[in-house]
């Protein structure tokens, strides 16, 4: 098997484990909460703490891979993730569970970014769309298997076992990494920005955690405001610091690139809405509709099935229509299907719900492939490590924000209606809120050049004819323009 397929499949092993773990927890959340004596919304801290741990430690991933070698870092990260999974299975309280999830986050913070960095440095840009598809197709098996498997285990056995299934997957990933991934490392790694890492970690953690607990009434509002305030101050200090250092952990100067800027800002808004779906949907199915975890899993896995169907067509669609056209139109379509979840009631046939989820997953998957790929269209090889770190932090914060906004919307709706128990009616406004946020991303995708990512998509640049020029001269000028741009971006 050539490297265009082998390396993506190895990276996909880690993504498979992460994605399955996330969907299993979302499906089994009510059962876990009941067993350890807390509420499903309170246990959202377990999901949030994992995402925050990712956000805090991801900034160090690029430098760590350059310094110690991607193969070693990738393998150790999988081992740490496995240790966190064992900790989750042994948890007896919310505190224990949150600590174990933080440990998992530390492993995940290195697994995915380092794996993506290996992919970007090993595969030519012209083959990147197909390589990204190969990465995500096996990884999407996790969300497909996760909900029904997690629901089945939780319903008929014990939720503890849903974390132990990570062990054989992790061992396989470590074996494949040590055997097939070259020990890629930079010959001249940049100086590690420890001060910047501390500031960014405090900033990202304070803001995201403060927003997450704001809708749960777990902490006094004074504490919530203090968390957000401290986080905002730390991020402000980091931005000032980043301008004065040659190798910041989060390099915001990369936002000068139009495609990366659209992927970061537009992608954040789009992922925020989609990030709320895996949290809201299982709760709606189980708490709102009264389905068992197993039946809930069978319904929600439909979204992942649709996503898998798109991966075989993504490269062809993007090549035909181009990144900007696809990302603008598809963001609207995906947001409409997200908003459609607000129409679900106990009277809605489960088959209709599954059809909507399958089709919605189909379009969301296309959008994710485009966002993930176009981000690196204009990034120079020397900047690839910092770009990967920035993209990874942005993705995880978007998902964390999505969960927070979703939970906050549900809690706010309960307060407005003066109810104390969750019902199906309380979820509809939350789906509409996150759908509106997602559709706003179209503005940033539209700001990209019309030929954005042409050197990755394989779509030819559109040359505007000039009637005053000879055809031969016009063709030669267009060829020189493409060549010069590819050399600059390559």
């Amino acid at each position: 098997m050539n490297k265009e397929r082998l390396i993506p499949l190895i990276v996909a092993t880690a993504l498979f484990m992460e994605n399955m773990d996330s969907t299993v927890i979302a499906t089994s959340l009510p059962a876990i909460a009941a067993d350890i004596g807390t509420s499903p919304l309170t246990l959202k801290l377990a999901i949030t703490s994992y995402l925050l741990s990712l956000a805090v430690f991801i900034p160090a991933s690029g430098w760590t891979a350059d310094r110690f070698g991607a193969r070693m870092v990738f393998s150790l990260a999988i081992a740490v993730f496995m240790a966190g999974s064992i900790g989750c299975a042994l948890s007896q309280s919310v505190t224990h569970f949150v600590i174990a999830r933080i440990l998992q986050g530390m492993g995940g913070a290195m697994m995915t970014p380092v794996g993506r960095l290996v992919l970007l440095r090993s595969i030519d840009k012209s083959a990147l769309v197909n390589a990204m598809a190969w990465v995500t197709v096996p990884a999407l098996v996790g969300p497909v298997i996760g909900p029904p498997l997690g629901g089945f285990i939780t319903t008929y056995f014990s939720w503890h076992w849903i974390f132990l299934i990570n062990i054989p997957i992790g061992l396989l990933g470590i074996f494949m990494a040590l055997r097939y991934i070259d020990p890629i490392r930079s010959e001249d790694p940049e100086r590690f920005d420890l001060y910047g890492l501390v500031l960014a970690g405090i900033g990202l953690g304070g803001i995201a955690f403060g927003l997450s607990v704001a809708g749960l009434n777990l902490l006094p509002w004074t504490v919530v405001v203090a968390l957000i305030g401290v986080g905002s101050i730390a991020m402000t200090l980091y931005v000032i610091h980043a301008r004065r250092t040659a190798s910041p952990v989060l390099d915001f100067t990369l936002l000068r690139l139009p495609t990366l800027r659209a992927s970061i800002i537009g992608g954040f808004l789009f992922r925020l809405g989609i990030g709320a779906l895996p949290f809201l949907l299982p709760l709606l199915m189980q708490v709102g509709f009264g389905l068992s975890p197993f039946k809930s899993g069978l319904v929600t896995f439909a979204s992942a099935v649709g996503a898998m169907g798109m991966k075989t067509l993504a490269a062809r669609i993007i090549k035909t229509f181009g990144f900007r056209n696809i990302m603008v139109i598809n963001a609207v379509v995906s947001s409409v299907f997200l908003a459609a979840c607000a129409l679900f009631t106990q009277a809605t046939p489960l088959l209709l719900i599954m059809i909507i989820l399958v089709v919605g997953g189909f379009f969301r998957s296309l959008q994710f492939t485009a966002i993930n790929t176009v981000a690196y269209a204009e990034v120079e090889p020397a900047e690839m490590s910092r770009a990967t770190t920035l993209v990874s932090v942005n993705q995880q914060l978007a998902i964390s924000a999505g969960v927070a906004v979703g939970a906050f919307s549900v809690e706010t709706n309960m307060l407005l209606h003066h109810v104390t128990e969750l019902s199906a009616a309380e979820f509809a406004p939350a789906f509409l809120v996150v759908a509106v946020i997602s559709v706003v991303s179209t503005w940033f995708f539209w700001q990209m050049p019309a030929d954005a990512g042409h050197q990755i998509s394989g779509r030819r640049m559109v040359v505007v004819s000039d009637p005053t020029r000879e055809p031969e001269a016009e063709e030669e000028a267009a060829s020189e323009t493409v060549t010069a741009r590819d050399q600059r971006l390559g």
Side-chain angles (χ1 to χ4, degrees):
M1 187 179 294
N2 58 36
K3 69 176 183 179
E4 281 78 10
R5 294 185 180 182
L6 181 59
I7 293 178
L9 287 174
I10 295 174
V11 175
T13 302
L15 294 179
F16 174 86
M17 187 163 57
E18 278 195 87
N19 290 330
M20 183 171 68
D21 190 84
S22 299
T23 51
V24 163
I25 289 179
T27 304
S28 307
L29 207 60
I32 299 174
D35 193 36
I36 64 178
T38 187
S39 68
L41 282 179
T42 301
L43 199 60
K44 185 182 77 72
L45 287 173
I47 297 178
T48 304
S49 61
Y50 172 77
L51 297 174
L52 290 180
S53 181
L54 285 174
V56 170
F57 290 101
I58 281 176
S61 61
W63 179 88
T64 305
D66 288 343
R67 177 65 178 83
F68 299 103
R71 181 176 66 182
M72 182 59 65
V73 174
F74 187 71
S75 301
L76 289 176
I78 295 177
V80 172
F81 190 88
M82 290 167 55
S85 298
I86 295 174
C88 288
L90 300 177
S91 297
Q92 299 295 323
S93 67
V94 174
T95 301
H96 296 158
F97 200 79
V98 167
I99 292 174
R101 289 292 287 168
I102 291 174
L103 186 60
Q104 279 189 314
M106 293 173 63
M110 297 293 170
M111 277 198 302
T112 304
V114 173
R116 188 180 292 117
L117 182 60
V118 170
L119 185 71
L120 292 168
R121 287 181 172 174
S122 304
I123 295 180
D124 187 78
K125 282 188 175 182
S126 61
L128 195 55
V129 175
N130 281 323
M132 285 290 186
W134 275 97
V135 165
T136 46
V137 167
L140 284 169
V141 175
V144 171
I145 296 177
L149 179 62
F152 179 80
I153 294 175
T154 302
T155 303
Y156 299 105
F157 295 95
S158 170
W159 63 265
H160 303 81
W161 291 97
I162 64 178
F163 297 101
L164 299 179
I165 58 179
N166 289 331
I167 307 307
I169 301 171
L171 292 174
L172 176 63
I174 292 174
F175 169 77
M176 294 176 67
L178 294 177
R179 182 175 178 86
Y180 296 109
I181 293 181
D182 294 330
I184 304 173
R185 73 173 67 185
S186 174
E187 295 181 358
D188 185 23
E190 297 177 334
R191 177 177 172 270
F192 183 57
D193 184 19
L194 179 60
Y195 179 63
L197 179 65
V198 172
L199 285 178
I202 294 174
L204 296 173
I207 294 173
F209 187 75
L211 292 174
S212 298
V213 299
L216 300 180
N217 294 324
L218 295 177
L219 297 173
W221 275 103
T222 53
V223 177
V224 174
V225 172
L227 284 170
I228 297 175
V230 170
S232 300
I233 293 172
M235 281 306 298
T236 302
L237 293 175
Y238 172 77
V239 172
I240 297 174
H241 164 75
R243 293 177 178 177
R244 300 174 179 176
T245 182
S247 54
V249 291
L250 295 176
D251 188 0
F252 294 118
T253 63
L254 292 174
L255 296 179
R256 70 184 185 277
L257 305 175
T259 49
L260 182 61
R261 183 170 62 249
S263 178
I264 291 290
I265 302 177
F268 179 89
L269 294 172
F270 183 80
R271 288 180 185 277
L272 188 150
I274 306 305
L277 188 62
F279 172 73
L280 293 173
L281 202 56
L283 283 179
L284 174 63
M285 294 293 116
Q286 296 178 50
V287 180
F289 296 169
L291 299 180
S292 69
F294 181 50
K295 289 183 179 179
S296 170
L298 291 177
V299 174
T300 55
F301 94 101
S303 180
V305 171
M308 288 186 65
M310 170 54 71
K311 292 305 176 182
T312 58
L313 302 174
R316 187 179 305 174
I317 293 175
I318 292 173
K319 181 177 181 179
T320 302
F321 299 101
F323 278 105
R324 190 180 74 167
N325 294 334
I326 287 295
M327 294 169 72
V328 169
I329 297 174
N330 196 48
V332 177
V333 175
S334 299
S335 299
V336 169
F337 277 97
L338 181 59
C341 296
L343 302 177
F344 294 163
T345 66
Q346 288 180 298
T348 307
L350 290 181
L351 179 59
L352 178 59
I353 292 177
M354 294 179 70
I355 291 174
I356 292 175
L357 293 178
V358 167
V359 179
F362 185 82
F363 290 105
R364 287 191 293 272
S365 177
L366 174 60
Q367 193 74 359
F368 285 148
T369 300
I371 292 173
N372 291 340
T373 309
V374 78
Y376 306 102
E378 299 176 285
V379 178
E380 301 288 350
E383 299 173 323
M384 199 64 76
S385 177
R386 281 177 284 169
T388 303
T389 300
L390 191 62
V391 169
S392 297
V393 168
N394 179 72
Q395 290 178 358
Q396 297 305 329
L397 277 181
I399 297 173
S400 179
V403 175
V405 170
F408 185 78
S409 300
V410 172
E411 184 73 15
T412 301
N413 198 46
M414 291 175 64
L415 291 174
L416 292 176
H417 289 84
H418 305 289
V419 297
T420 57
E421 293 186 4
L422 277 174
S423 65
E426 312 306 325
F427 288 89
F431 284 113
L432 293 177
V433 167
V434 295
V436 169
I437 294 175
S438 288
V439 81
V440 174
S441 65
T442 56
W443 167 256
F444 298 95
F445 298 142
W446 178 252
Q447 300 304 309
M448 293 191 300
D451 62 343
H454 72 92
Q455 67 278 19
I456 293 179
S457 66
R459 187 170 188 251
R460 298 186 63 182
M461 293 180 65
V462 178
V463 179
V464 180
S465 298
D466 186 347
T468 64
R469 303 179 65 176
E470 295 293 333
E472 293 80 2
E474 184 176 285
E475 182 178 351
E476 181 180 354
S479 177
E480 290 176 353
T481 300
V482 174
T483 301
R485 180 166 182 171
D486 285 346
Q487 289 175 348
R488 177 173 61 86
L489 300 178

